[in-house]
């Protein structure tokens, strides 16, 4: 499925998100920096992308790690998955966290995350006195592996 998404370039040198292949689900987001940024081990830095979007209503933009950046350099979004709502019009930033043991340098134009657009469902939450029974019941973390 293809849809149009308006992109506004907010900074000099900003790069429009791109797909790495014809069937890629995620569009690469690029760092838009005046100078390289060093992220120390265990540190989180807000990396600007220089782009703002108008994501169509009914879709959400999910910002995920790039697998190579995460596995080879230990850099991944601090919040694991960023959520960009369809009514947000500000610049997209990636809260990039260094999970590794050595400092990492992020350069201007480097791919720092990927944006996946997906439909979502909203709910009307109803307060009730009880919930229906299931086999799992109230079993929490790890309860289904026993």
């Amino acid at each position: 499925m293809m849809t149009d998404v308006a992109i506004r370039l907010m900074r000099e040198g900003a790069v429009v998100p791109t797909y790495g292949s014809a069937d890629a689900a995620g569009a690469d987001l690029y760092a838009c920096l005046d100078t390289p940024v060093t992220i120390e081990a265990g540190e989180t830095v807000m990396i600007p992308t220089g782009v703002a979007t108008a994501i169509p209503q009914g879709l959400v933009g999910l910002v995920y790690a790039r697998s190579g950046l995460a596995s080879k350099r230990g850099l991944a979004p601090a919040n694991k998955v960023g959520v960009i709502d369809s009514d947000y019009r500000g610049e997209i930033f990636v809260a990039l966290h260094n999970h590794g043991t050595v400092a990492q340098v992020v350069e201007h134009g480097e791919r720092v995350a990927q944006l996946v657009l997906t439909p979502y469902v909203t709910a009307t939450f109803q307060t009730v006195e009880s919930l229906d029974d299931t086999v799992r019941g109230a079993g929490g973390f790890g309860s289904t592996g026993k």
Side-chain angles (χ1 to χ4, degrees):
M1 180 172 110
M2 185 71 73
T3 191
D4 291 333
V5 175
I7 293 284
R8 181 174 174 217
L9 302 180
M10 306 287 287
R11 297 173 186 255
E12 184 73 28
V15 178
V16 174
T18 62
Y19 291 95
S21 70
D23 292 324
D28 290 326
L29 293 172
Y30 296 82
C32 188
L33 303 168
D34 294 327
T35 60
V37 171
T38 299
I39 305 176
E40 299 293 335
E43 184 181 33
T44 300
V45 174
M46 297 298 281
I47 303 294
T49 66
V51 299
T53 62
I55 295 172
Q57 193 172 25
L59 298 178
V60 61
L62 301 177
V63 179
Y64 290 102
R66 294 194 69 255
S67 59
L69 196 63
S71 63
K72 295 176 184 173
R73 295 179 51 202
L75 296 175
N79 54 343
K80 307 306 177 208
V81 178
V83 175
I84 303 171
D85 296 310
S86 64
D87 60 351
Y88 177 65
R89 294 297 182 269
E91 181 178 0
I92 297 171
F93 284 80
V94 177
L96 206 54
H97 183 78
N98 183 348
H99 294 275
T101 57
V102 298
Q104 296 289 327
V105 176
V106 176
E107 304 277 348
H108 172 77
E110 186 172 347
R111 299 174 296 168
V112 292
Q114 57 183 323
L115 176 66
V116 176
L117 299 177
T118 190
Y120 63 91
V121 176
T122 57
T124 302
F125 296 98
Q126 306 292 324
T127 303
V128 297
E129 294 298 318
S130 65
L131 301 173
D132 59 318
D133 290 327
T134 66
V135 172
R136 181 177 182 175
F141 294 105
S143 65
T144 62
K146 296 178 182 176

